[in-house]
Amino acid sequence: MTDTTNQRPEHALPGDDAATLPTTYAPADVEGELYERWVDRGYFTADAKSDKPPYTIVIPPPNVTGALHLGHAFQHTLMDALTRRKRMQGYETLWLPGMDHAGIATQNRVEQQLAESGLSRHDLGREAFVEKVWEWKEQYGGQILGQMRRLGDGVDWSRERFTMDEGLSKAVQTIFKKLFDDGLIYRAERIINWCPRCLTALSDIEVEHEDSPGELVSIRYGDGDESIVVATTRAETLLGDTAIAVHPDDERYAHLIGRTIALPLTDRRIPVVADTHVDPAFGTGAVKVTPAHDPNDFAIGQRHNLPNLTVMDEHGAITVHGPFLGQDRLEARAAIVGTLREQGRIVAEKRPYDHAVGHCSRCHTIVEPRLSLQWWVKVEPLAKASGDAVRDGRVQIHPKELENRYFNWVDNMYDWCISRQLWWGHRIPVWYGPEGQVVCVGPDEQPPAGEGWYQDPDVLDTWFSSGLWPFSTLGWPEQTPDLEKFYATDVLLTGHDIIFFWVARMMMFSLYAMDGQAPFHTVALTGLVRDQFGKKMSKSNPNAVDPIDWMDEYGADAVRFTLASGANPGADVPIGEDWVKGSRNFCNKIWNATRFALMNGATVEGPLPAPEEMTAVDRWILSRLNATVAEVDALYDDYQFAKLADALFHFAWDEVFDWYVELSKTTLAKGGPQADAARRVLGEVLDVTLRLLHPVVPFVTDTLWTTLTGGESVVVADWPTADQGRLDAAAEAEVATLQQVVTEVRRFRSDQGLKPGQKVPATLTLDGTPLAAHEDAIRSLLRLTAPEEAFSATASLQVAGATVALDLSGTIDVPAERKRLTKDLAVAEKEKAQTAAKLGNEGFLAKAPDDVVAKIRGRQEAAEADIARITAQLAALPQG
């Protein structure tokens, strides 16, 4: 193990006199002060000039409007654990924080604030409104940053970034200009997702599809031999139909292809076109074509040179045909169906008709497909490069089974609509001239001036600037020391739900801007946090939890350990308050064990004793300690947080606290050289255990470690390294035998109804076993007193070659216990007889399902085990 620095801490925590600890751990008295001490001492500040190897993580930037929820707390806990461990391992560690300007969400928030005063953004004008948003950001934004401090995030606050700060704005303008000049950004009129509430375009990944009840109506177009029936869930778009499409091989409509039929409710006639997109087996085999209001219809329209007729404005109100003019789209739907019904053109109606409907992810308004002139990124070459980087091993996706989800996205990506009809965000750096000129302006260029020139009013999709995050935050496009030292980042730890939103965007832009160098070496994907029943947490349900409330009640370490304990790669994480209570108890157990060690002289001073100077118990715990160090290291490298938390929990609680501390009490009580050795071993074990635990539970471990060792802080202590020379199979086997004896006798005591603290006279025959040296410890753990003259063994157990004879007379009510056990034995024998009868019935076995037979066999085996156990207990009872 590595040596520790014996330097007392500069400040004592509440109740800390550098030698003793308060009787109980109060997280609220420790966490805030301790975190600010870490920050003030610069522990989290990275040095680009350092000779240490770099280790970099950029935080997924939370929205400026956001607050810390359990999903944030979960991912931040894991990122903090990774960076704290690497810092202790000697890396120049940068965990870079920041926030996203969250275009739609933030603009909505400020517009709602204005509405309370009876104003809209248009009343203020663009410049004044943007200024208002900046004011809001300074006053209300960034609440989550303070909450990150509560959680213990060891981020480099000196490098905090915001997606609209000056440096990142320059990066956005630079890459837009580069993409534009390379022909990878273009402007075109296409169908986009439009939010009538937010009044902006949305990308596909900003639309949430969910089943909603609607109606499916079948409408007859035309009359007589010229009639065709089509089914639709959006009858209001009929007003924008410019064709009917059928499959070219559909004989039912062959006579109509190329002809026109009357469009209901209008004075127009529309053509019947043949298109292979139509499925003749679906519905009537005919579809209405509305190119301006449906992406598939738009594609059909392009192939057949159909006109694009827009029939709704940006608010979703009808803009054509007198009777419905000005009606909201949903109001017009009902009115149009009613009119068609009166005209006898409704052939069939299905209501309710559940189907997937797109909703705005920000305001949950139903999205409207709409033909619109927008800016687009040509993604094909960028997406191909992103897929290649994973396929050739430059980037590892963990767990590997989620690779296919990534490939399914990047291999089938559509061009990305990047313009948004908002005022808050990075404004598109394109100017239009009076003669139709289009000029893209870079960050160091002057925009064209003069009469008739104006800038594009739209802003860029928030994910455009977020996609630059791994390199823009390090100073790109300038070749800064930070960029040279800390790019590429080491790991991106994020939820599998934003592979499409963010991971793919960063891959595309980073590979493009950084000469093919991927933004990170590993993408470690997590699941989503759910309640203890596996249900999704949401504000609309009573299962939503504010992690700050749990931190107030149980401490940040308890919340962190609970979250880490559920973090299996790629899998969702169930969490409940009872589990947080359990983690709080674990932190208290660490506290109490360390306090016991200090009160009994545990020390980290000087070298460890030679093996021959230690007891087998000392050698055993050092062997287990080094095996645990190696196990935890391997699990960290594989991002197996749940398994490493489990390994640490069971080593600390079961082996250190429940076994070693208890076993060492006997040695310490005897005094002498072995007691001195035990104090040094106890100090070593706690020193290393606290360092192993620190990345996950930083507050309690730093408080205890500085008190135990006198070191400056465990934050900057060395990470333990496994010493293979300390592995001791013989000592582990000897203690395993001791544990077997103690466990079996404890079980026997419990079966006999003895209270845990009840003392019982007993003799121990340990000759010929390795346990002779442990008699005092065994007696202490089992509450076995030395036999007196009147001792008479009434029960005897043989375990692992040892014989334990006990005098239970006077300790239990033998007749009552015999009566209870006899009753239990009768129940077990009846169960065995019933199961044996069924299993001996050939007719039953021939007809019963395999799982039923297996269940009955299991019942029979359980009954036989109960019979053996109860019979042994009866035999062990005192006679007479």
Side-chain angles (χ1 to χ4, degrees):
M1 297 297 167
T2 50
D3 292 335
T4 54
T5 304
N6 294 313
Q7 176 185 348
R8 288 293 175 194
E10 296 174 15
H11 311 291
L13 290 168
D16 175 13
D17 63 2
T20 62
L21 292 166
T23 55
T24 58
Y25 177 51
D29 295 341
V30 171
E31 293 175 352
E33 176 188 344
L34 188 53
Y35 184 84
E36 293 309 318
R37 188 185 307 171
W38 293 337
V39 174
D40 291 344
R41 290 179 175 177
Y43 293 157
F44 307 140
T45 304
D47 182 3
K49 298 179 181 178
S50 168
D51 293 332
K52 297 178 182 177
Y55 184 82
T56 314
I57 294 180
V58 292
I59 205 166
N63 287 352
V64 67
T65 60
L68 188 77
H69 56 63
L70 274 174
H72 290 127
F74 169 56
Q75 292 181 358
H76 287 208
T77 293
L78 305 187
M79 285 184 277
D80 196 36
L82 290 173
T83 51
R84 284 180 183 271
R85 171 175 174 259
K86 285 296 182 180
R87 189 178 293 113
M88 295 172 74
Q89 285 182 318
Y91 286 79
E92 193 61 41
T93 303
L94 171 61
W95 186 19
L96 193 147
M99 292 186 299
D100 191 284
H101 65 278
I104 296 176
T106 308
Q107 178 157 320
N108 281 348
R109 190 71 62 88
V110 178
E111 287 196 81
Q112 290 166 6
Q113 192 179 63
L114 287 174
E116 293 173 2
S117 304
L119 298 173
S120 73
R121 61 179 164 128
H122 300 286
D123 294 323
L124 271 67
R126 183 171 192 142
E127 187 174 337
F129 176 77
V130 171
E131 187 175 323
K132 198 78 174 175
V133 181
W134 277 108
E135 291 174 3
W136 183 93
K137 184 257 181 186
E138 294 303 318
Q139 185 173 358
Y140 301 107
Q143 173 189 2
I144 193 172
L145 300 178
Q147 295 170 331
M148 287 162 54
R149 302 172 90 93
R150 279 293 312 276
L151 187 65
D153 283 11
V155 297
D156 185 346
W157 293 109
S158 71
R159 286 177 165 86
E160 180 189 336
R161 304 305 301 266
F162 180 56
T163 50
M164 283 187 62
D165 67 29
E166 184 178 351
L168 268 64
S169 294
K170 182 176 182 180
V172 167
Q173 198 171 352
T174 299
I175 201 161
F176 187 100
K177 170 72 171 174
K178 180 174 172 59
L179 289 162
F180 181 90
D181 290 346
D182 287 347
L184 295 175
I185 282 183
Y186 64 93
R187 196 180 190 215
E189 191 174 48
R190 292 186 177 180
I191 294 287
I192 49 92
N193 303 297
W194 180 265
C195 177
R197 158 62 184 81
C198 298
L199 299 180
T200 183
L202 304 173
S203 67
D204 290 341
I205 53 180
E206 292 172 304
V207 178
E208 297 176 347
H209 292 274
E210 57 186 59
D211 284 344
S212 300
E215 61 181 356
L216 180 68
V217 293
S218 298
I219 307 168
R220 178 170 51 83
Y221 286 44
D223 296 295
D225 292 340
E226 288 189 346
S227 67
I228 291 183
V229 176
V230 298
T232 181
T233 59
R234 301 169 65 216
E236 69 279 9
T237 62
L238 173 149
L239 303 174
D241 288 356
T242 57
I244 295 288
V246 299
H247 194 277
D249 298 332
D250 194 333
E251 295 181 357
R252 292 172 295 175
Y253 305 114
H255 66 290
L256 290 175
I257 294 173
R259 298 169 63 180
T260 64
I261 60 175
L263 177 64
L265 305 182
T266 73
D267 57 1
R268 293 191 290 117
R269 294 183 68 84
I270 57 176
V272 178
V273 299
D275 197 282
T276 55
H277 170 75
V278 180
D279 180 0
F282 182 77
T284 64
V287 297
K288 59 193 289 296
V289 182
T290 319
H293 293 278
D294 183 274
N296 293 322
D297 293 2
F298 179 78
I300 293 174
Q302 294 289 97
R303 290 193 289 272
H304 298 277
N305 296 314
L306 299 176
N308 302 316
L309 181 59
T310 299
V311 296
M312 275 179 255
D313 66 13
E314 60 185 7
H315 299 279
I318 301 299
T319 59
V320 298
H321 203 70
F324 314 108
L325 182 64
Q327 291 184 356
D328 174 77
R329 55 188 169 151
L330 301 182
E331 179 187 7
R333 178 180 300 170
I336 287 172
V337 170
T339 302
L340 291 169
R341 190 182 298 114
E342 291 172 0
Q343 295 179 0
R345 293 197 171 275
I346 300 297
V347 176
E349 296 181 67
K350 186 175 182 180
R351 190 183 294 107
Y353 177 73
D354 290 342
H355 61 121
V357 177
H359 293 75
C360 173
S361 62
R362 297 296 180 188
C363 70
H364 215 61
T365 300
I366 293 176
V367 168
E368 190 65 41
R370 186 168 189 259
L371 187 64
S372 183
L373 184 63
Q374 301 284 346
W375 285 96
W376 305 80
V377 171
K378 183 179 180 181
V379 300
E380 183 179 2
L382 305 175
K384 182 181 183 304
S386 300
D388 291 345
V390 175
R391 289 187 170 97
D392 64 23
R394 279 175 287 160
V395 177
Q396 305 286 331
I397 291 183
H398 189 280
K400 190 173 178 62
E401 54 264 29
L402 289 182
E403 273 188 359
N404 285 338
R405 185 177 296 190
Y406 174 80
F407 290 138
N408 287 340
W409 178 253
V410 297
D411 293 347
N412 301 285
M413 195 182 297
Y414 295 107
D415 282 1
W416 172 20
C417 176
I418 56 171
S419 46
R420 299 290 180 268
Q421 289 63 56
L422 304 171
W423 288 354
W424 172 246
H426 294 101
R427 194 164 175 181
I428 290 176
V430 171
W431 271 255
Y432 305 107
E435 304 299 326
Q437 304 99 315
V438 178
V439 177
C440 181
V441 177
D444 300 319
E445 301 171 350
Q446 290 297 317
E451 186 176 350
W453 283 93
Y454 66 96
Q455 186 177 359
D456 193 300
D458 290 350
V459 300
L460 289 164
D461 177 11
T462 296
W463 295 102
F464 190 96
S465 50
S466 298
L468 315 182
W469 193 251
F471 55 95
S472 64
T473 52
L474 297 173
W476 187 91
E478 307 301 328
Q479 293 302 309
T480 64
D482 275 4
L483 191 66
E484 183 178 351
K485 177 76 174 180
F486 297 111
Y487 187 88
T489 69
D490 286 85
V491 60
L492 171 72
L493 191 144
T494 192
H496 61 64
D497 56 321
I498 62 170
I499 290 178
F500 323 120
F501 287 88
W502 194 45
V503 178
R505 309 299 191 206
M506 288 189 290
M507 288 285 283
M508 290 193 302
F509 281 166
S510 298
L511 290 163
Y512 173 75
M514 301 301 292
D515 299 323
Q517 189 176 10
F520 20 73
H521 304 307
T522 301
V523 179
L525 296 170
T526 69
L528 307 179
V529 178
R530 298 183 178 272
D531 71 12
Q532 66 266 41
F533 306 109
K535 294 180 179 179
K536 182 178 180 181
M537 289 188 177
S538 69
K539 293 179 181 177
S540 60
N541 290 332
N543 66 350
V545 173
D546 184 344
I548 299 298
D549 292 341
W550 278 354
M551 284 190 264
D552 289 341
E553 182 72 19
Y554 306 111
D557 285 336
V559 174
R560 291 170 61 113
F561 193 81
T562 305
L563 291 165
S565 296
N568 290 299
D572 288 349
V573 184
I575 185 171
E577 188 167 4
D578 285 346
W579 304 340
V580 185
K581 291 178 183 177
S583 296
R584 185 268 315 272
N585 295 342
F586 179 50
C587 293
N588 289 341
K589 189 82 169 180
I590 302 169
W591 183 273
N592 292 334
T594 306
R595 188 167 177 271
F596 164 83
L598 289 168
M599 291 171 62
N600 285 274
T603 180
V604 298
E605 296 179 1
L608 282 170
E612 59 271 16
E613 297 173 352
M614 292 187 282
T615 65
V617 173
D618 291 332
R619 297 196 304 275
W620 162 75
I621 196 62
L622 289 175
S623 180
R624 293 298 307 128
L625 177 67
N626 282 278
T628 301
V629 171
E631 180 183 9
V632 169
D633 270 333
L635 292 170
Y636 261 116
D637 291 341
D638 198 33
Y639 304 99
Q640 297 281 357
F641 296 99
K643 290 182 179 179
L644 71 88
D646 185 68
L648 287 169
F649 176 88
H650 287 294
F651 172 72
W653 192 305
D654 298 344
E655 297 185 290
V656 178
F657 307 150
D658 279 358
W659 282 106
Y660 182 68
V661 168
E662 292 302 316
L663 288 167
S664 68
K665 287 179 180 178
T666 306
T667 305
L668 293 171
K670 288 181 179 178
Q674 284 194 336
D676 292 337
R679 291 187 183 94
R680 178 64 187 91
V681 172
L682 183 56
E684 177 77 4
V685 170
L686 286 173
D687 166 25
V688 175
T689 301
L690 291 171
R691 282 187 277 154
L692 285 175
L693 285 165
H694 173 72
V696 182
V697 285
F699 293 105
V700 68
T701 51
D702 196 39
T703 307
L704 295 172
W705 187 87
T706 52
T707 305
L708 173 71
T709 69
E712 179 186 342
S713 172
V714 72
V715 177
V716 290
D718 290 338
W719 180 255
T721 54
D723 182 353
Q724 298 297 314
R726 289 287 178 185
L727 299 181
D728 192 325
E732 291 202 33
E734 183 172 332
V735 173
T737 303
L738 184 156
Q739 290 172 324
Q740 184 182 0
V741 171
V742 171
T743 300
E744 288 299 319
V745 177
R746 278 176 173 168
R747 184 179 293 117
F748 174 78
R749 285 176 57 106
S750 177
D751 288 342
Q752 300 306 317
L754 297 177
K755 296 177 181 178
Q758 191 171 353
K759 295 183 178 180
V760 179
T763 60
L764 273 65
T765 304
L766 306 173
D767 298 341
T769 75
L771 301 178
H774 303 290
E775 179 170 351
D776 289 345
I778 292 172
R779 287 187 175 278
S780 175
L781 291 172
L782 292 174
R783 305 295 190 268
L784 302 180
T785 60
E788 299 178 355
E789 285 187 21
F791 176 83
S792 175
T794 60
S796 179
L797 286 86
Q798 289 188 331
V799 184
T803 302
V804 182
L806 304 96
D807 181 0
L808 300 179
S809 58
T811 60
I812 60 173
D813 185 341
V814 175
E817 185 65 12
R818 187 179 300 281
K819 183 177 180 181
R820 182 184 71 82
L821 290 172
T822 301
K823 183 179 178 181
D824 290 347
L825 181 61
V827 172
E829 288 174 336
K830 182 179 178 180
E831 171 74 355
K832 179 183 177 183
Q834 289 176 340
T835 55
K838 285 189 176 182
L839 294 173
N841 185 331
E842 294 296 335
F844 170 78
L845 293 177
K847 295 178 181 179
D850 290 345
D851 60 330
V852 172
V853 175
K855 188 177 294 185
I856 293 173
R857 290 192 194 282
R859 285 170 50 194
Q860 185 183 55
E861 291 170 1
E864 290 172 344
D866 286 342
I867 291 169
R869 174 179 57 81
I870 297 168
T871 302
Q873 289 177 238
L874 283 166
L877 285 174
Q879 301 301 312

